[in-house]
Amino acid sequence: PAGLTARQVDVLRLLGKGYTNAQIASQLVVSVRTVDSHVAAVLAKLGAASRREAAASAAELGVLDAENR
């Protein structure tokens, strides 16, 4: 959705749960710098100014798990 890669969708789902970049990195077994890059790309692709806006877009796009909507 919205031109996001599969990994960016993974990051967006965790953003929607309120995870920090460090928590996302731990969950996805990547570095925090990698997560920083993915978060920046997600925000840019969604045209979001904040993590909160990105999470709202995730809900609208239907990429959040049902229990996180």
Side-chain angles (χ1 to χ4, degrees):
L4 299 173
T5 66
R7 188 53 121 185
Q8 289 168 347
V9 170
D10 292 340
V11 169
L12 183 55
R13 282 191 178 117
L14 296 174
L15 277 178
K17 292 181 180 184
Y19 283 33
T20 65
N21 285 8
Q23 290 169 319
I24 293 169
S26 176
Q27 186 80 21
L28 298 179
V29 193
V30 296
S31 75
V32 174
R33 284 181 60 108
T34 298
V35 173
D36 291 342
S37 175
H38 285 314
V39 169
V42 166
L43 293 178
K45 287 183 179 181
L46 295 177
S50 68
R51 296 165 78 93
R52 185 178 299 240
E53 279 185 31
S57 294
E60 291 171 14
L61 292 170
V63 299
L64 293 182
D65 300 329
E67 72 271 9
N68 297 315
R69 289 187 188 164

